[in-house]
Amino acid sequence: MSLINELESLVGELEQNLARAVSLAELEELKTAFLGRKGRLAALMGKLKDLDAGARPAFGQKANEIKQLLTAFVEARLQDFKRKREKESLLTFDPTLPGRLPWQGSAHPVTLVMDEICGIFERLGYDTVSGPEVETDFHNFEALNFPPDHPARDMQDTLYVSDGIVLRTHTSPMQVRAMLARKKPPVAVIAPGKVYRRDSDLTHTPMFHQIEGLLVDKNISLADLRGTLTYMARSLFGQSVRVRFRPSFFPFTEPSAEVDISCIMCGGKGYIRSKSGREACRVCKTTGWLEILGSGMVDPNVFKAVGFDPECTGFAFGLGVERVAMLKYGIGDLRMFFDNDLKFLQQFA
Ligand code: PHE
């Protein structure tokens, strides 16, 4: 067989081998065997020097043609294999599957209730204000008509930071701060925030949240307080809710009242209808009422302490936020608010 024939026969031989190849690795092997530096084509080209000088150009040209052919065949097969592999990987990848959503935070139930209550009062024209959690004895007690050594200070288990400095035991110091800042009536503020007491059991945590409300103007009466709190309770819990005032005592209000709403679980009946007749309401413990806040008419001594005319009139109230959130969302255990359990918190998203 002439060298030219030998060159030409490489094409057919490679074609046959390529047709039999079943893997990318086999293809790569064939490529090296035919086209590599020590491959079949290279071996034939090595024989160029044995030819007559006159036959060399024709052989060289043929060898180049064959090289291009072989390369084209191998590349075509390689492309086939790559395309096939892509198709297979598309079959195992389902582009219709939903993607992973980015994790998103959401407002805490305590924040939700604070925002809702502040919103109710903002629409009534109140300003939302905030102040320090580390408070002076003056703002937390003295200006609120708790004289030094007054037994009423024992009502609240105070956490002291140092002499005369406390963690505020209620948001009522914000009454003092708001009046000092405004200098004269009218004052209409709502002040949400954290408060602290030396108290920790099933129904008390050392830190919890309150919302303070204060309205000072001419001719503010107990009727205004009652109307405002009824409006708030119905905005929060629905129009059928009833409100009840019980006489109480706070040094900074006179008269003072604790405010109850009709039980949102049993509708104030104290009992819930069940399969076996009627069942005691566990939320209000059959009383039909739920305490939600303390309130009263601002004591003249408080006006005196902040330099307001003691003839001023005003009402104030302080509401426990966790308590309202428990009622609103039907949460049975106060500690859930502070456990940071995502499964619990995500329900409010
Ligand atoms: N500060 C009182 C408390 O924490 C609540 C209150 C606020 C009562 C305003 C009257 C007026 O119990």
Side-chain angles (χ1 to χ4, degrees):
M1 200 163 29
S2 77
L3 278 180
I4 295 270
N5 286 345
E6 273 189 64
L7 270 177
E8 281 173 341
S9 72
L10 281 184
V11 179
E13 212 182 310
L14 178 65
E15 265 191 305
Q16 274 177 18
N17 282 313
L18 284 177
R20 278 197 295 269
V22 290
S23 72
L24 211 54
E26 268 179 75
L27 282 184
E28 297 288 358
E29 264 170 43
L30 284 172
K31 187 175 171 180
T32 336
F34 282 81
L35 287 154
R37 259 190 322 124
K38 291 178 179 161
R40 303 276 300 277
L41 182 67
L44 285 173
M45 305 259 283
K47 295 188 176 164
L48 184 80
K49 58 182 190 311
D50 304 333
L51 290 174
D52 299 339
R56 284 183 196 175
F59 179 78
Q61 202 186 340
K62 191 75 194 168
N64 268 329
E65 274 169 33
I66 298 295
K67 183 179 180 179
Q68 271 167 21
L69 262 175
L70 296 179
T71 311
F73 284 153
V74 172
E75 287 307 321
R77 278 297 272 163
L78 278 172
Q79 286 306 319
D80 282 351
F81 263 84
K82 282 182 185 152
R83 240 175 275 131
K84 199 170 124 206
R85 205 168 48 175
E86 259 167 39
K87 227 192 239 161
E88 280 166 1
S89 73
L90 274 179
L91 284 178
T92 56
F93 169 72
D94 181 353
T96 66
L97 282 176
R100 268 183 216 130
L101 290 175
W103 190 82
Q104 237 185 343
S106 57
H108 190 280
V110 165
T111 309
L112 289 176
V113 166
M114 288 203 295
D115 287 352
E116 187 176 350
I117 294 174
C118 291
I120 292 168
F121 282 95
E122 278 163 19
R123 286 189 289 281
L124 290 174
Y126 288 65
D127 286 332
T128 298
V129 295
S130 62
E133 291 165 27
V134 177
E135 195 45 290
T136 64
D137 183 276
F138 172 77
H139 293 89
N140 196 82
F141 291 123
E142 206 181 310
L144 289 168
N145 201 29
F146 290 82
D149 304 319
H150 191 284
R153 290 192 183 209
D154 294 341
M155 273 167 69
Q156 306 186 341
D157 298 296
T158 311
L159 286 157
Y160 284 86
V161 174
S162 61
D163 211 22
I165 304 291
V166 301
L167 293 183
R168 66 179 180 191
T169 55
H170 51 178
T171 43
S172 297
M174 287 310 295
Q175 292 183 32
V176 177
R177 288 187 175 274
M179 286 191 276
L180 288 173
R182 297 289 198 279
K183 295 193 174 74
K184 59 182 190 334
V187 179
V189 292
I190 190 92
K194 292 181 166 68
V195 300
Y196 301 85
R197 290 184 196 175
R198 240 189 65 215
D199 216 349
S200 187
D201 58 41
L202 276 182
T203 53
H204 297 87
T205 48
M207 183 281 294
F208 60 102
H209 297 78
Q210 281 190 341
I211 295 182
E212 194 79 9
L214 173 70
L215 177 70
V216 183
D217 204 346
K218 288 189 203 84
N219 303 320
I220 302 295
S221 71
L222 200 61
D224 295 311
L225 174 61
R226 189 174 174 111
T228 306
L229 293 179
T230 304
Y231 174 75
M232 178 197 72
R234 294 193 171 156
S235 305
L236 274 175
F237 294 108
Q239 291 306 311
S240 57
V241 162
R242 282 163 294 127
V243 169
R244 166 173 97 165
F245 275 51
R246 266 183 300 111
S248 183
F249 172 78
F250 300 102
F252 38 95
T253 46
E254 183 60 35
S256 302
E258 264 160 337
V259 175
D260 300 340
I261 57 167
S262 53
C263 179
I264 51 162
M265 189 65 195
C266 63
K269 291 186 199 73
Y271 292 90
I272 291 172
R273 243 201 299 273
S274 70
K275 274 176 239 149
S276 54
R278 52 177 220 169
E279 211 176 279
C281 176
R282 272 176 294 127
V283 174
C284 65
K285 300 190 179 70
T286 73
T287 64
W289 295 98
L290 300 164
E291 183 189 325
I292 61 162
L293 57 82
S295 68
M297 302 308 291
V298 179
D299 193 291
N301 281 337
V302 177
F303 287 137
K304 254 186 251 167
V306 296
F308 273 37
D309 180 351
E311 296 299 309
C312 275
T313 52
F315 66 64
F317 62 87
L319 163 149
V321 180
E322 281 81 0
R323 173 107 176 117
V324 169
M326 287 173 83
L327 295 173
K328 209 174 154 63
Y329 298 118
I331 297 163
D333 187 341
L334 175 69
R335 295 167 299 183
M336 309 271 308
F337 290 124
F338 309 111
D339 281 347
N340 294 329
D341 180 345
L342 279 181
K343 285 205 284 289
F344 170 72
L345 295 172
Q346 278 164 350
Q347 297 176 98
F348 301 93

